[in-house]
């Protein structure tokens, strides 16, 4: 090989080497290809675990408070329709207790009034005693402070109803009180019988509280059903002597209370027709107040609430 040819081969080799070195330099300067993106499998919401503060900058919400559901009273009650023994249709409202197997109080209104008056007096909410479920221990004031708080372990179911010809128990009456007294007595018996069948009540602890004709009805219709009766302004209105009806309840060992205003004849002599004893107590107040008026909050007599409470505890023992 001539010297010129050798120089040519050397020159070509140097050119090829330079090109190779340039390619290597470009490869080393290029960024690496990105890695394939990871496959993400969604976690069901029920099993997802939130990131800890070390894993994310997002604020962590506080834990939700524990909510304990407690029963609440139905302020409107449950409407119940029932029938007296002569077929007359009657309407009442049932207000449940938060206690299982609770005593049930049947409220019987006066002539010319209706069951709505019991709601206005606040006596229903008082006897249900749902305030006892408030763990804060706050005091509950009923009827302008005239009704004392029930013990926290006591609650009563309540049944109200309209006597025939009153409120929702229509049609209207034909005749006066005395012409309808046999029917009113049947209504009271039907209400007592219904109370024993209502959900969540103790059928052996049916208690009556009544005003005027209701004051007589709670003892007259008691029979073998009621476990006590509180009469406000009785007068033998239903044709049965109060003495006889009250004595029959007392003979079974159940309490009876009788209350009247001093000038409201014939209530004083009616109450005093039975001799007071451990089971039978009489409460007198001044004036001419009658029947449902005693339950109006602003007119409620001092001590009336305590007397009601004493009776309810005795009748529900």
């Amino acid at each position: 090989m001539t010297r010129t040819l050798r120089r040519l081969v050397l020159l070509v080799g140097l050119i090829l080497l330079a090109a190779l070195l340039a390619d290597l330099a470009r490869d080393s300067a290029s960024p690496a290809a990105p890695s394939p993106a990871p496959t993400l499998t969604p976690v069901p919401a029920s099993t997802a675990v939130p990131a800890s503060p070390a894993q994310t900058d997002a604020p962590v919400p506080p834990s939700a408070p524990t909510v304990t559901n407690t029963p609440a009273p139905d302020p409107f009650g449950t409407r119940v329709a029932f029938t007296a023994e002569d077929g007359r249709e009657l309407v009442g409202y049932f207000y449940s207790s938060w206690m299982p197997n609770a005593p049930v109080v049947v409220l019987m209104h006066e002539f010319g009034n209706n069951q709505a008056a019991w709601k206005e007096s606040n006596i229903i909410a008082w006897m249900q005693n749902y305030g006892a479920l408030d763990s804060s221990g706050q005091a509950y004031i009923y009827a302008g402070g005239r009704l004392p708080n029930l013990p926290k372990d006591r609650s009563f179911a309540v049944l109200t109803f309209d006597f025939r010809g009153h409120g929702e128990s229509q049609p209207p009456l034909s005749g006066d009180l005395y012409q309808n007294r046999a029917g009113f007595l049947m209504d009271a018996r039907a209400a007592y019988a219904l109370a024993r069948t209502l959900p969540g009540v103790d059928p052996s602890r049916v208690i009556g509280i009544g005003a005027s004709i209701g004051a007589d009805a709670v003892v007259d219709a008691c029979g073998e059903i009621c476990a006590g009766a509180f009469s406000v302004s009785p007068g033998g209105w239903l044709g049965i002597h109060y003495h006889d009806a009250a004595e029959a309840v007392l003979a079974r060992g159940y309490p009876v209370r009788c209350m009247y205003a001093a000038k409201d004849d014939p209530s004083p002599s009616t109450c005093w027709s039975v001799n007071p004893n451990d089971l039978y107590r009489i409460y007198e107040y001044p004036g001419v107040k009658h029947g449902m008026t005693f339950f109006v909050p602003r007119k409620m007599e001092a001590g009336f609430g305590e007397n009601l409470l004493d009776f309810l505890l005795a009748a529900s023992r």
Side-chain angles (χ1 to χ4, degrees), residues 264-297:
D264 178 37
D265 291 330
S267 295
S269 59
T270 301
C271 286
W272 284 99
S273 67
V274 181
N275 292 322
N277 54 50
D278 290 342
L279 289 176
Y280 183 73
R281 298 177 187 173
I282 300 173
Y283 306 114
E284 176 183 308
Y285 291 95
V288 294
K289 192 178 296 184
H290 181 81
M292 301 293 290
T293 308
F294 279 101
F295 293 89
V296 176

Side-chain angles (χ1 to χ4, degrees), residues 98-119:
W98 55 262
M99 289 182 62
N101 204 37
V104 56
V105 178
V106 183
L107 297 177
M108 303 192 189
H109 65 79
E110 67 188 7
F111 183 77
N113 211 316
N114 61 65
Q115 63 185 317
W118 298 116
K119 287 289 294 178

Side-chain angles (χ1 to χ4, degrees), residues 32 38 67 82 85 90 95 154 160 165 192 198 249 258 270 279 287 304 306:
V67 178
F82 59 108
E85 59 193 85
L90 307 170
Y95 302 84
R154 296 299 181 100
T160 67
Y192 268 148
L198 294 169
V249 180
C258 199
T270 301
L279 289 176
F304 179 32
E306 285 75 12

Side-chain angles (χ1 to χ4, degrees), residues 71-300:
D74 177 1
F76 303 105
T78 300
R79 190 177 190 270
V80 291
F82 59 108
T83 306
E85 59 193 85
D86 64 345
R88 187 67 177 252
E89 292 185 358
L90 307 170
V91 174
Y93 285 84
F94 174 60
Y95 302 84
S96 62
S97 165
W98 55 262
M99 289 182 62
N101 204 37
V104 56
V105 178
V106 183
L107 297 177
M108 303 192 189
H109 65 79
E110 67 188 7
F111 183 77
N113 211 316
N114 61 65
Q115 63 185 317
W118 298 116
K119 287 289 294 178
E120 296 168 5
S121 76
N122 210 20
I123 191 174
I124 296 173
W126 175 66
M127 289 189 290
Q128 287 179 288
N129 196 26
Y130 274 84
L133 300 182
D134 189 331
S135 59
S136 71
Q138 86 177 68
Y140 283 79
I141 305 301
Y142 296 99
R146 293 290 190 176
L147 292 172
N149 288 338
L150 267 67
K152 284 188 172 291
D153 62 346
R154 296 299 181 100
S155 173
F156 297 82
V158 180
L159 172 66
T160 67
F161 73 98
D162 287 319
F163 282 106
R164 63 185 62 202
H166 293 74
E168 297 182 50
S169 296
Q170 296 298 322
L173 295 174
S174 59
D176 60 16
L177 187 161
Y178 294 100
Q179 291 171 306
N180 287 279
R181 60 189 182 184
F184 295 148
L185 187 56
M186 287 189 281
D187 298 347
R189 288 179 181 143
Y192 268 148
L194 171 66
R196 302 180 74 179
T197 69
L198 294 169
V201 309
D202 180 352
S204 69
R205 293 189 291 172
V206 178
I207 302 165
I209 297 177
S212 193
I213 66 167
D216 288 297
V218 291
V219 292
D220 294 350
C222 180
E224 297 297 316
I225 293 180
C226 84
F230 196 116
S231 300
V232 179
S233 307
W237 312 110
L238 303 185
I240 297 175
H241 289 294
Y242 186 82
H243 169 275
D244 297 340
E247 287 286 3
V249 180
L250 296 169
R252 294 171 49 235
Y254 293 109
V256 177
R257 304 290 187 263
C258 199
M259 177 175 159
Y260 65 89
K263 296 182 180 180
D264 178 37
D265 291 330
S267 295
S269 59
T270 301
C271 286
W272 284 99
S273 67
V274 181
N275 292 322
N277 54 50
D278 290 342
L279 289 176
Y280 183 73
R281 298 177 187 173
I282 300 173
Y283 306 114
E284 176 183 308
Y285 291 95
V288 294
K289 192 178 296 184
H290 181 81
M292 301 293 290
T293 308
F294 279 101
F295 293 89
V296 176
R298 67 181 182 276
K299 297 181 180 180
M300 196 172 286

